[in-house]
Amino acid sequence: MSCRPLRLVHAADFHLERPLHGLSEVPEQLRERFIDAPYRAAERVFDTALAEEADFILLSGDLLAPQSAGPRGLVFLDGQFQRLAERDIAVFWAAGRVDADDQMPPGITFPDNVRRFPQGEAQDFLHDRDGEAVARIIGAGYQRGSKVAVGDFRPDPTGLFTLAVAYGQVTPAALKQQRVHYLALGGRHDRFTCSASPQGAHFPGTPQGRCPDESGPHGCTVVTVDESGRPRTRFAPTDAVRWVNERVVFEAHEPLDKIGDHLVQRMQEIRQRSGEIDLVVCWSITAAGADHNRAAAAKSLLQRLRDGFKNHSPLAWSASLTIEPPDHRLAPREHNESILAELLRLVDQHRGDEQTIDLSEVLPDRHSGSALASAARMDDAEQRRHLLREVALLGSELLRPHSEANAESEETQA
């Protein structure tokens, strides 16, 4: 297939109504940034479309919940759409759960360059350049109770490059029905490609992480299409505040001051590689010899990091710091028939099988199919590792015999 080269930006899940959250305390200098971060990140999405001289932008849902965001959110979007209109950049918007038609204020209008797809019904537009059609864009807004109907998105009969825009999850079976050249999806906050070739199906993720669970860079996706009609994606960071989950392991016994020196150096490295962006860092430290005084040591190290970087710009704020014992302290011990030994053996067994840990089975029936039940399924490898380690750590603290704990404490002090 021969086609005209294209460049577009794909973004979703702005959630302008949701400020950053997840901290027990927020310093004064971060509070306003937490509120403004979703807007600053979304503005950078539109900056990217302008800088890339995109033909159009695809928005696949959950830009804002109008009632929660208030007038500021709608006025902001209108202003950004106007910026694109001045450069003749079209907007194709398939609404999600929170920005569906039935959630919008009556009579709301957007600039003429904005095309919103109807709820639950596929509609298509031809996009032209200099009077010649260069792409067909098909989309449907989110309809409650329905899934993305990939089979309803049919490629252009003349071979014109065809994209589809939708909100929601798709099953592997549904992806096999995909015929369009690029499927722009929304509805998950992490960047994820379901299918890369020959047809692409992609979630760009949210432009701004909201909490420690949404760590790392966030942004939008720049899609380029060459003469052969092959789409290629490129990540464009847009986040205004970045969450960092930093794990540091000390294999040998180290004095607290030396551990602190290493963490300060590590923070400097994080700042250097992150560039001009505010950082919120959650530290997880594994250190030998800290069993009996982990809370006090963690508090001391956290305060040192906060004091050392409180006047830096961009901001580097250490939100939390936990200290864990080395893995060998949590390993099951042979020929030990205690409750703790049995717990550690079970944990070790789950570490090896790599299967999904499904805690939803122990929830009451009223939570079946709820968001809580979904969160109780641990299918991510890092999430499973962290959960199993926390189980072993808590079990060791609660079930370890006093004599053994006292012996380890004396060994550490010595």
Side-chain angles (χ1 to χ4, degrees):
M1 180 188 74
S2 177
C3 71
R4 295 277 295 273
L6 292 170
R7 179 175 285 114
L8 59 113
V9 170
H10 174 202
D13 297 276
F14 290 2
H15 281 293
L16 297 177
E17 77 283 358
R18 293 186 191 174
L20 278 59
H21 61 274
L23 300 184
S24 58
E25 56 178 318
V26 180
E28 184 67 32
Q29 63 268 39
L30 261 182
R31 291 173 186 172
E32 189 170 337
R33 302 185 200 199
F34 270 31
I35 295 172
D36 289 340
Y39 286 87
R40 292 164 60 199
E43 184 174 16
R44 291 174 183 177
V45 170
F46 296 103
D47 291 344
T48 300
L50 293 168
E52 294 285 344
E53 298 182 343
D55 290 274
F56 49 86
I57 183 170
L58 304 178
L59 300 175
S60 44
D62 279 1
L63 303 192
L64 83 170
Q67 293 184 352
S68 301
R72 179 189 180 187
L74 291 170
V75 170
F76 169 82
L77 283 181
D78 185 77
Q80 299 304 314
F81 294 154
Q82 292 283 4
R83 292 176 65 200
L84 298 185
E86 292 170 2
R87 296 276 292 274
D88 199 26
I89 298 176
V91 177
F92 297 95
W93 179 0
R97 291 177 185 271
V98 304
D99 53 0
D101 289 342
D102 56 9
Q103 301 297 312
M104 287 289 174
I108 187 71
T109 60
F110 294 104
D112 292 341
N113 64 322
V114 179
R115 282 87 167 177
R116 270 176 64 93
F117 297 100
Q119 280 185 243
E121 179 184 350
Q123 185 179 21
D124 66 287
F125 297 94
L126 284 177
H127 182 76
D128 63 76
R129 185 196 304 148
D130 301 326
E132 179 183 353
V134 294
R136 180 180 294 275
I137 299 98
I138 312 169
Y142 172 75
Q143 180 69 46
R144 284 165 177 75
S146 62
K147 297 182 178 180
V148 178
V150 177
D152 291 345
F153 303 140
R154 302 292 184 182
D156 184 87
T158 67
L160 193 65
F161 188 84
T162 306
L163 310 97
V165 194
Y167 174 95
Q169 302 299 319
V170 291
T171 64
L175 285 174
K176 292 181 180 179
Q177 303 177 36
Q178 181 183 335
R179 299 293 180 268
V180 298
H181 301 100
Y182 182 83
L183 177 57
L185 296 167
R188 57 184 294 169
H189 287 192
D190 58 319
R191 176 180 168 85
F192 181 71
T193 298
C194 309
S195 173
S197 61
Q199 294 88 18
H202 180 72
F203 291 90
T206 179
Q208 173 60 59
R210 293 306 191 283
C211 61
D213 289 340
E214 297 179 355
S215 62
H218 286 76
C220 59
T221 297
V222 178
V223 184
T224 56
V225 183
D226 58 21
E227 291 86 349
S228 68
R230 181 181 178 84
R232 290 179 171 83
T233 60
R234 172 167 52 86
F235 173 69
T238 61
D239 42 357
V241 177
R242 183 168 299 165
W243 301 87
V244 179
N245 291 330
E246 192 70 8
R247 181 171 178 80
V248 185
V249 178
F250 296 92
E251 298 291 350
H253 288 258
E254 298 285 0
L256 198 61
D257 286 347
K258 190 170 182 180
I259 292 177
D261 292 342
H262 183 89
L263 296 184
V264 168
Q265 180 181 350
R266 181 69 69 92
M267 178 68 97
Q268 292 169 344
E269 294 170 355
I270 295 171
R271 293 183 70 248
Q272 184 175 7
R273 69 173 181 254
S274 299
E276 296 296 315
I277 187 168
D278 294 326
L279 301 174
V280 180
V281 186
C282 300
W283 299 89
S284 176
I285 313 300
T286 298
D291 289 32
H292 72 296
N293 60 354
R294 282 186 291 115
K299 183 177 180 181
S300 174
L301 291 171
L302 181 62
Q303 194 59 51
R304 178 176 175 182
L305 287 166
R306 287 178 174 179
D307 291 343
F309 292 89
K310 64 182 178 182
N311 296 322
H312 287 237
S313 182
L315 189 66
W317 170 255
S318 290
S320 63
L321 189 149
T322 59
I323 300 180
E324 304 171 345
D327 286 336
H328 70 81
R329 295 288 181 92
L330 304 178
R333 300 183 180 182
E334 295 183 4
H335 311 301
N336 192 324
E337 300 304 325
S338 68
I339 297 175
L340 173 58
E342 180 61 24
L343 171 66
L344 294 179
R345 278 193 285 268
L346 285 172
V347 169
D348 199 54
Q349 177 183 334
H350 280 291
R351 283 197 188 105
D353 61 24
E354 298 185 357
Q355 294 181 1
T356 296
I357 298 176
D358 190 0
L359 301 180
S360 64
E361 297 175 355
V362 300
L363 294 175
D365 291 341
R366 66 178 182 275
H367 293 298
S368 176
S370 67
L372 179 60
S374 177
R377 288 179 53 83
M378 307 287 176
D379 51 7
D380 176 76
E382 180 62 21
Q383 188 182 31
R384 290 177 72 261
R385 187 203 68 80
H386 180 73
L387 173 67
L388 291 171
R389 185 178 180 83
E390 286 296 310
V391 169
L393 182 59
L394 182 60
S396 296
E397 291 178 349
L398 297 179
L399 300 175
R400 176 179 299 169
H402 290 296
S403 59
E404 184 179 332
N406 290 337
E408 290 186 357
S409 176
E410 291 170 4
E411 176 188 342
T412 300
Q413 292 175 0

